[in-house]
């Protein structure tokens, strides 16, 4: 799971096993007035937070703006954060709610703007497998797969899209997703099941 | 920890979704992101008074709507008003004394007029026999000072402009000379200010 930063992954694991929030010390420093500590929180969470919002919106410019919005909102209201949940759950809740509000506001005005694929993707087993199966050109296949995946995700409803992104792309647990989306774990599982059924239909050309 | 599907088995939806983890921005993106975030964070911390925000919002809304009319107004002014301003009408009718006298009797900002006679000698007033429009180039310096820099300059201009109505009578010459001197002392009217 190289996409997720080691520190962020540690936060996730810490919450799962019920340990203290690893961001707690930094949060306390920010609450005490040390602004530089917030920079560290930004560096820790920005990549994954951006990724969640980018996959929700399929637009890199909107994703950048919304990620910044989420950090600014978090910074402005961090004095109200009491530590009842982990900081990253709180932050992701702010970000996901902002992104969903944005998508609802602009539901008839959506533009795709895809992020670049990193260099390691061409060596990925998925790409190798699909190239071998379809006898197709690797760059063309990667581009096509990227477009099809984004299209398929955008066809899902917002609540189903959110759950799939958080679980299957970002690797959050059901419990964490339930905290972020403020639902129950049962609801998360149910949404996930339905969303995967939908995606299976949209992506059947690749799943044979 | 990425799950690697083997070519011998079918792909699952989960396998395809993992492909999206490879959509990642580069380092240059993050440099710009951090910079923009710092700027926006600072902006969010500064709270302007409500009337500043209202004015700013109004400016943002009205700016696009005002660009074209403003450009049109400037263009109209350039083509119609500006050429007329460079031509000064000189009246020779003697009936203007009351107007010009009234104008001159109001003391200027610096009322201490010195050596009007000297000024009269150095700046002769042109008189024309008919009420024609003279091009600016043909007038002496005293008439050509329409360089307006402020309201105070504008007052000076009005006095100078009033002097155009003077006849060649001596008393009026004195007034004109004194006005020019005031203008010269107060508003820095020099030949360099003259618009040709």
């Amino acid at each position: 799971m190289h996409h997720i930063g080691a520190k962020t992954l540690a936060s996730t694991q810490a919450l799962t096993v019920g340990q203290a929030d690893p961001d707690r010390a930094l949060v306390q420093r920010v609450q005490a007035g040390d602004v530089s500590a917030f920079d560290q929180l930004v560096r820790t969470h920005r990549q994954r937070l951006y990724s969640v919002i980018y996959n929700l919106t399929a637009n890199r410019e909107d994703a950048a703006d919304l990620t910044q919005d989420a950090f600014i909102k978090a910074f402005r209201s961090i004095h109200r954060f009491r530590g009842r949940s982990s900081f990253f759950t709180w932050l992701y809740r702010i970000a996901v709610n902002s992104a969903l509000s944005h998508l609802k506001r602009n539901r008839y005005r959506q533009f795709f703007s895809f992020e670049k694929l990193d260099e390691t993707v061409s060596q990925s087993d998925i790409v190798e497998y699909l190239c071998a199966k379809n006898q197709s050109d690797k760059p063309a296949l990667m581009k096509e797969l990227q477009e099809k995946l984004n299209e398929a995700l955008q066809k899902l409803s917002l609540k189903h899209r959110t759950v799939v992104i958080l679980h299957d792309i970002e690797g959050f647990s059901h419990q964490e997703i339930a905290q972020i989306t403020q639902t129950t774990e049962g609801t998360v599982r149910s949404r996930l099941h339905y969303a995967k059924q939908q995606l299976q239909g949209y992506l059947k050309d690749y799943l044979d | 920890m990425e799950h690697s599907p083997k070519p011998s088995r079918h792909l699952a939806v989960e396998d395809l979704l993992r492909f999206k983890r490879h959509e990642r921005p580069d380092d240059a993106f993050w440099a710009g992101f951090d910079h923009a975030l710092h700027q926006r964070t600072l902006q969010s911390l500064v709270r302007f008074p409500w009337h500043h925000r209202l004015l700013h919002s109004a400016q943002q809304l009205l700016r696009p709507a005002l660009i074209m009319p403003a450009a049109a107004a400037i263009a109209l002014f350039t083509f119609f008003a500006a050429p007329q301003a460079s031509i000064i009408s000189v009246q020779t009718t003697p009936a203007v004394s009351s107007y010009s006298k009234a104008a001159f009797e109001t003391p200027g900002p610096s009322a201490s007029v010195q050596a009007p006679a000297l000024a009269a000698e150095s700046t002769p007033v042109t008189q024309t026999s008919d009420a024609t429009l003279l091009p600016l180039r043909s007038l002496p310096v005293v008439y050509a000072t329409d360089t307006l820099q402020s309201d105070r300059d504008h007052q000076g201009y009005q006095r100078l402009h009033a002097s155009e109505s003077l006849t060649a009578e001596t008393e009026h010459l004195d007034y004109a000379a004194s006005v020019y001197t005031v203008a010269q002392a107060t508003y820095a009217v020099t030949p360099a200010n003259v618009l040709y």
Side-chain angles (χ1 to χ4, degrees), chain A residues 130-147:
Chain A
L130 287 170
C131 278
K133 196 182 99 178
N134 299 334
Q135 304 282 311
S136 55
D137 181 38
K138 204 182 266 187
L141 181 126
M142 289 191 306
K143 192 170 183 299
E144 184 191 303
L145 183 59
Q146 185 185 20
E147 286 177 6

Side-chain angles (χ1 to χ4, degrees), chain A residues 1 54-55 69 146 150, chain B residues 1 20-21 23 34 40:
Chain A
M1 209 178 282
Y54 164 72
N55 286 317
D69 283 346
Q146 185 185 20
N150 278 298
Chain B
M1 252 191 284
K20 283 195 60 70
R21 291 179 184 172
E23 289 181 275
D34 287 343
R40 291 182 63 185

Side-chain angles (χ1 to χ4, degrees), chain A residues 51-117:
Chain A
S51 180
V52 169
I53 298 176
Y54 164 72
N55 286 317
L56 277 169
T57 58
N59 185 303
R60 64 199 303 265
E61 289 80 21
D62 287 351
D65 281 349
L66 289 165
T67 309
Q68 287 167 8
D69 283 346
F71 279 121
I72 291 166
K73 280 180 188 169
F75 181 70
R76 292 187 64 156
S77 51
I78 201 164
H79 62 280
R80 290 202 297 267
F81 177 69
R82 296 280 170 251
R84 292 193 194 99
S85 63
S86 67
F87 173 76
F88 94 89
T89 307
W90 180 72
L91 178 65
Y92 279 70
R93 196 181 305 149
I94 291 171
V96 167
N97 287 339
S98 291
L100 295 181
S101 301
H102 169 83
L103 288 169
K104 282 174 190 165
R105 271 199 312 272
N106 302 291
R107 85 181 72 160
Y108 302 115
R109 190 180 62 84
Q110 282 195 23
F111 303 101
F112 290 174
S113 144
F114 298 141
E115 195 55 80
K116 279 181 280 188
L117 291 165

Side-chain angles (χ1 to χ4, degrees), chain A residues 6 25 45 50 85 99 105 158:
Chain A
H45 294 286
Y50 171 82
S85 63
R105 271 199 312 272
L158 289 178

Side-chain angles (χ1 to χ4, degrees), chain B residues 175-194:
Chain B
Y175 277 119
S178 64
V179 165
Y180 175 63
T181 311
V182 170
Q184 209 171 21
T186 312
Y187 308 113
V189 174
T190 63
N193 292 351
V194 175

Side-chain angles (χ1 to χ4, degrees), chain B residues 115-190:
Chain B
L118 184 64
E121 281 170 18
S122 60
T123 56
V125 176
T126 302
Q127 60 170 325
T128 54
S129 56
D130 55 350
T132 55
L133 294 175
L134 292 178
L136 189 63
R137 200 181 294 277
S138 67
L139 291 173
V141 172
V142 67
Y143 295 117
T145 53
D146 61 349
T147 309
L148 301 180
Q149 294 172 345
S150 66
D151 288 344
R152 291 177 74 231
D153 286 357
H154 186 62
Q155 290 168 10
Y157 172 79
Q158 284 177 328
R159 289 192 192 90
L160 289 170
H161 191 70
S163 69
E164 294 157 13
S165 304
L166 287 176
T167 60
E169 294 168 34
T170 312
E171 60 194 69
H172 294 142
L173 266 176
D174 289 344
Y175 277 119
S178 64
V179 165
Y180 175 63
T181 311
V182 170
Q184 209 171 21
T186 312
Y187 308 113
V189 174
T190 63

